[in-house]
Amino acid sequence: DVVLCDITMPGLSGPELVAWINRERPELAPRCVFMTGGDGGSEPAELDARQRGLWLEKPFDAATLRATIARLLAPAA
């Protein structure tokens, strides 16, 4: 599984969702990808996602999305 998560969502922010995933489904935490059309923020989860390359700036194309998902699902080298 891969979680594609927008940064800004009604009722629950992307970082809040990822914090919940870290508590309740920690096995999915390394497979969370943030998407944003804004300038981004400085939440720790956002910064970590940027550092790990798990950050998609909108608009992105299907090839970029597929490559990101493939990188997440690839066995660790």
Side-chain angles (χ1 to χ4, degrees):
D1 294 312
V2 173
V3 177
L4 301 174
C5 179
D6 208 317
I7 291 295
T8 305
M9 300 182 295
L12 185 72
S13 73
E16 290 170 331
L17 175 61
V18 171
W20 180 90
I21 289 170
N22 279 321
R23 285 190 312 273
E24 303 297 327
R25 296 288 309 273
E27 72 279 8
L28 293 179
R31 294 186 175 178
C32 292
V33 178
F34 282 121
M35 303 176 295
T36 187
D39 61 359
S42 59
E43 292 284 333
E46 293 174 44
L47 295 174
D48 183 53
R50 283 181 184 254
Q51 291 168 351
R52 291 184 293 136
L54 304 177
W55 186 272
L56 295 173
E57 291 285 339
K58 294 177 189 173
F60 52 85
D61 58 25
T64 301
L65 178 59
R66 282 192 299 271
T68 301
I69 291 171
R71 188 173 66 234
L72 284 174
L73 297 179

